[in-house]
Amino acid sequence: MPQPLRLTPIAVMILATLREADMHTYEMVRLLKERRDDRLVPLQKGTIYHTVARLERDGLLAEVGTDRDGNRPERTTYTLLPAGRRAVEEWVRTELPQIDRASDFRVALSEAHNLERDEVVALLDQRRALLVASVDEHRTGLSGAAQRDTPEQFLVELQRQSALLDAELAWQDSLRARLSDRSLAWGIAEIPEHIKKKRHVSKETTP
């Protein structure tokens, strides 16, 4: 029986761009850079073209046409297939509740809008339970170290991690509240029309 396809973070991000519209590889890269997603994964041309080819071979996206602008090389336009949509959603479902794979979580968070609002809230609640357990573990460790008179110079990293976990928990609770009270627009359908129009015009005028 074939093993389930394991997507890389860059593959997830490429597929997710195609949920918005059919586009060619140059446009995918432009959009990812515009959103500063190059902070999350390297956007190297060779890797991206190789990933697109693999996703096409695996039946997650498909060519829908080519175009040429003047003397520039032809550009192939791709569309997202149903299997690609499901693959993105499943990857985000797997990674969003995690606390031990920071780089994958950041990508999952950036693509969490591909899931329904209520499902994201439920996944964040799962993650919250893990965060609370980790916060308690770090506090217990610091308390035990203090009782053993451990010199503080050996605990600065533990103190830092404890502070970061507290901040992470507070931030996540704030995000959950905004999702729950619907003060945060969520999903492509809730993007304002003037932003969608601007996005479309930007695509049409890409050199």
Side-chain angles (χ1 to χ4, degrees):
M1 185 173 182
Q3 292 297 315
L5 179 66
R6 173 61 185 172
L7 296 179
T8 62
I10 186 60
V12 172
M13 297 172 83
I14 288 171
L15 291 172
T17 63
L18 293 175
R19 290 195 65 159
E20 300 178 46
D22 297 347
M23 63 185 79
H24 49 68
T25 305
Y26 181 91
E27 174 66 7
M28 297 176 200
V29 175
R30 188 203 64 78
L31 186 60
L32 291 171
K33 287 185 175 179
E34 179 182 286
R35 295 172 179 173
R36 297 297 312 280
D37 286 334
D38 51 345
R39 298 173 301 107
L40 306 178
V41 295
L43 297 179
Q44 299 174 345
K45 183 177 179 181
T47 300
I48 290 172
Y49 278 88
H50 173 78
T51 301
V52 168
R54 182 174 69 86
L55 293 171
E56 182 179 15
R57 184 177 65 248
D58 291 336
L60 303 184
L61 54 77
E63 297 182 15
V64 288
T66 58
D67 61 78
R68 184 191 296 274
D69 183 10
N71 294 324
R72 296 178 182 275
E74 281 190 345
R75 289 175 176 167
T76 301
T77 300
Y78 296 93
T79 193
L80 182 66
L81 296 177
R85 179 183 294 266
R86 291 192 297 269
V88 170
E89 293 172 351
E90 191 56 40
W91 194 92
V92 174
R93 287 188 185 103
T94 299
E95 298 302 332
L96 193 61
Q98 306 302 323
I99 66 171
D100 58 350
R101 295 190 289 272
S103 59
D104 285 355
F105 168 74
R106 292 178 68 196
V107 174
L109 184 63
S110 75
E111 300 299 347
H113 58 268
N114 289 285
L115 301 181
E116 295 295 329
R117 181 190 300 270
D118 291 344
E119 183 174 12
V120 173
V121 169
L123 292 170
L124 290 177
D125 285 346
Q126 294 178 33
R127 186 172 190 267
R128 190 183 194 282
L130 296 176
L131 282 173
V132 169
S134 188
V135 166
D136 290 344
E137 181 182 359
H138 280 75
R139 287 176 178 168
T140 298
L142 285 169
S143 177
Q147 293 174 9
R148 294 190 299 272
D149 294 325
T150 302
E152 189 175 1
Q153 62 181 295
F154 299 123
L155 303 176
V156 291
E157 192 283 327
L158 189 61
Q159 292 170 342
R160 172 185 178 275
Q161 186 61 25
S162 181
L164 290 176
L165 285 167
D166 286 338
E168 178 83 0
L169 188 57
W171 169 84
Q172 182 170 300
D173 285 347
S174 175
L175 173 62
R176 187 196 189 283
R178 295 180 66 204
L179 285 167
S180 296
D181 66 17
R182 308 189 74 85
S183 61
L184 176 62
W186 198 253
I188 295 175
E190 294 188 22
I191 297 175
E193 287 301 322
H194 72 282
I195 299 295
K196 291 181 182 178
K197 183 177 180 181
K198 180 180 178 182
R199 164 76 179 82
H200 178 73
V201 170
S202 175
K203 178 183 177 183
E204 292 299 319
T205 57
T206 299

